[in-house]
Amino acid sequence: MTNQESTEGTTGTEGTVLVTGATGTVGRQVVTELLRRGHSVRALTRDPAKADFPAGVEVAQGDLTDPESLVSALEGVTGLHLITFGGPYFAPLETGSQILELARKAGVRRITVLHGGGPSPLEDAVRAGEDLAWTVVMPVEFMSNALEWADGIRGGDAVREPFAGRLSAMVHEGDIGAVAAVALTEDGHGGREYVITGPEVLTLKDKTDAIAAARGREIRLVELTEEQAVEQWRAAGQPDEVIGFLLEAYGNTPLVGRTVVDTVEKVTGRPARTFAEWAAEHADAFRA
């Protein structure tokens, strides 16, 4: 038993779970899954007036770059979901130590951190907190990344991407949220890092075929050179650091990103959702 596990109490959570990054792709899924499971959920956002959450979700204003703004949002909170970045272009948060100190004072017992793809000051601070039951959630490529193809598919029935032979064990964002929700509300997950994947390894053609089947119309896969891809990404407004990351991730996908693991089923008790399921859920996004 780890130090983190030994600090956990009885099964379940007696208080509220605060979800930061709640308007993001994963944060919304954590909120939805906690609500579905019957837990008290508080969603943190810089601008509550623009937040659009289901009924039953309490919305709190706060900013992770300003820890003092979190004091009231942390009242009565026993579970805390954190992201590692704040501000434009995924700037790493430098406020982890202050956030954790406030969390301790508020009585937080369980913390999940959405891994940002590399080392970060906030994640390091969480991992060093032996008095808290922390879990690092480490998803591979999100299935929702395929929404970046929507304009090209609607306008020209085509996907234009480099590295056509690349492989991915991409994961449904709802499954990421489900794993985090369990770790935030149940015992036995303290001091662990969970790599989260989908149930299959997919090629680009597998993905475009699944979207074509879901929307009922064929899609052409057009392979770009690296130079053409960079030009396309720059035209879309991607900064150089993001373009560099994409070239590395797609051109030399690490083994962890193309290897299926059964974390979703082990943690949640149900199989991970397939890309075909995701495509069916989002078919309208790809229809003209």
Side-chain angles (χ1 to χ4, degrees):
M1 178 178 291
T2 67
N3 291 337
Q4 289 80 7
E5 287 174 335
S6 67
T7 64
E8 292 183 306
T10 58
T11 301
T13 182
E14 298 80 15
T16 296
V17 178
L18 177 65
V19 180
T20 71
T23 59
T25 300
V26 173
R28 284 193 178 276
Q29 296 296 331
V30 178
V31 168
T32 299
E33 185 67 18
L34 287 165
L35 193 65
R36 188 188 72 79
R37 290 170 171 265
H39 297 288
S40 176
V41 188
R42 187 175 298 154
L44 189 79
T45 176
R46 292 189 183 97
D47 190 352
K50 294 182 179 180
D52 181 21
F53 293 106
V57 176
E58 181 186 355
V59 180
Q61 185 172 20
D63 187 336
L64 291 174
T65 65
D66 177 15
E68 290 303 316
S69 72
L70 308 179
V71 173
S72 61
L74 283 164
E75 290 179 3
V77 168
T78 56
L80 173 61
H81 176 71
L82 291 171
I83 56 176
T84 62
F85 54 86
Y89 305 127
F90 304 100
L93 282 166
E94 304 286 349
T95 53
S97 296
Q98 298 98 306
I99 292 171
L100 288 181
E101 186 58 33
L102 291 172
R104 289 185 179 96
K105 289 179 180 178
V108 171
R109 296 190 295 113
R110 301 187 185 94
I111 292 179
T112 55
V113 179
L114 180 64
H115 184 66
S120 69
L122 184 139
E123 185 178 315
D124 289 345
V126 169
R127 288 177 180 270
E130 295 187 357
D131 58 328
L132 295 167
W134 55 261
T135 307
V136 177
V137 177
M138 306 178 71
V140 298
E141 183 184 4
F142 297 179
M143 291 181 182
S144 59
N145 286 357
L147 289 171
E148 296 170 1
W149 301 336
D151 287 346
I153 290 174
R154 287 195 305 266
D157 295 327
V159 167
R160 293 175 170 82
E161 286 284 316
F163 311 115
R166 70 183 189 246
L167 301 174
S168 174
M170 62 192 329
V171 60
H172 194 298
E173 53 272 21
D175 287 338
I176 307 169
V179 169
V182 171
L184 285 164
T185 57
E186 296 183 9
D187 292 344
H189 305 283
R192 300 188 182 186
E193 57 180 45
Y194 286 141
V195 175
I196 309 174
T197 76
E200 55 198 341
V201 177
L202 302 169
T203 65
L204 278 180
K205 188 173 187 307
D206 291 331
K207 300 173 196 177
T208 55
D209 284 351
I211 295 171
R215 76 175 194 137
R217 186 180 174 92
E218 289 187 2
I219 297 170
R220 292 179 296 114
L221 175 58
V222 179
E223 184 172 16
L224 303 179
T225 65
E226 290 188 38
E227 292 74 18
Q228 289 171 326
V230 168
E231 182 179 350
Q232 177 173 280
W233 290 330
R234 283 202 176 123
Q238 296 285 14
D240 286 345
E241 56 266 34
V242 172
I243 290 173
F245 170 79
L246 293 173
L247 287 173
E248 178 64 24
Y250 292 162
N252 187 27
T253 303
L255 184 62
V256 67
R258 47 189 167 89
T259 302
V260 171
V261 294
D262 60 355
T263 304
V264 173
E265 187 161 10
K266 281 185 174 179
V267 174
T268 71
R270 60 164 179 75
R273 283 168 274 197
T274 66
F275 187 73
E277 291 177 274
W278 182 94
E281 294 167 8
H282 296 84
D284 286 346
F286 301 99
R287 294 184 177 121

